[in-house]
Amino acid sequence: MTFLNTVRSKESYFESIEIQSKSSKIHKIRTYEQFDKFSKSKFKVSLEEMIDELLKQKPIDMNQNTCDVFQQWINSLVKSGKAPATIITVVSHMKQYFNYRGIKLTTSDMNSVNMPKKLKEEKYPLTKEEIRTILDNSSYQRKTLYLTLTGSLI
């Protein structure tokens, strides 16, 4: 086998992410394991077997079926209580892995996958009673800091 004809596998993917930070590598490996576990429980095949089967399909069917699998995985993550930001991150990691293995998912392909939305928390100013409660439970040094901050409108 020459260097021009290398086989892209799980092992070669894990080698390719060696240059990334330790936390990124760990997160990507855990995401892979989580998706593999989902694949085994839902479809009774490993992730590698699923990818091999998808690669045998026509490109249009391959992309559509891959997006359907992603949607089912996202639905299971939502049901398990994962935060939307976490789901978006792990889907991105798996999309990178599928891309590495030869299943190229474009942005338009992924538009058919419904992602959870991040909830935006509305911010509001503290009331005088809330400030008093904070001050009553603070040390003298912190009281000085908090009073200075409230007086300077920060």
Side-chain angles (χ1 to χ4, degrees):
M1 181 183 298
T2 67
F3 70 93
L4 296 176
N5 192 18
T6 58
V7 177
R8 290 188 167 212
S9 64
K10 173 180 83 169
E11 292 78 18
S12 65
Y13 174 73
F14 290 151
E15 286 176 15
S16 74
I17 63 172
E18 283 295 318
I19 61 170
Q20 297 180 1
S21 69
K22 184 178 179 181
S23 61
S24 291
K25 288 187 295 190
I26 290 171
H27 197 255
K28 287 181 180 186
I29 290 169
R30 286 186 182 158
T31 300
Y32 174 89
E33 292 168 350
Q34 184 182 27
F35 197 100
D36 189 46
K37 183 179 175 183
F38 164 78
S39 175
K40 287 176 182 174
S41 68
K42 182 77 173 178
F43 304 108
K44 310 293 187 246
V45 295
S46 70
L47 175 56
E48 296 305 311
E49 293 169 336
M50 178 190 294
I51 289 175
D52 291 340
E53 183 66 31
L54 287 168
L55 287 170
K56 293 175 187 175
Q57 298 176 358
K58 294 177 186 175
I60 294 172
D61 293 336
M62 176 177 61
N63 288 349
Q64 183 179 6
N65 291 335
T66 303
C67 288
D68 291 343
V69 169
F70 268 84
Q71 186 64 62
Q72 291 177 30
W73 183 48
I74 291 166
N75 293 344
S76 74
L77 292 173
V78 169
K79 286 179 186 174
S80 69
K82 299 287 185 198
T86 302
I87 294 172
I88 291 168
T89 302
V90 296
V91 167
S92 173
H93 289 324
M94 285 313 297
K95 184 180 168 193
Q96 288 173 5
Y97 179 70
F98 274 69
N99 187 27
Y100 178 82
R101 288 295 310 274
I103 301 174
K104 310 287 189 216
L105 294 173
T106 63
T107 304
S108 62
D109 292 332
M110 290 303 286
N111 284 340
S112 67
V113 177
N114 295 319
M115 300 289 280
K117 302 286 186 228
K118 294 180 187 178
L119 297 176
K120 293 183 180 178
E121 187 176 323
E122 188 176 329
K123 296 179 181 180
Y124 63 93
L126 294 174
T127 64
K128 289 181 182 180
E129 291 79 24
E130 290 171 329
I131 293 172
R132 276 199 194 104
T133 304
I134 291 171
L135 290 173
D136 290 343
N137 294 308
S138 301
S139 67
Y140 179 74
Q141 291 175 335
R142 287 288 175 166
K143 281 182 188 180
T144 306
L145 173 67
Y146 298 149
L147 285 171
T148 302
L149 289 174
T150 57
S152 66
L153 301 174
I154 293 181

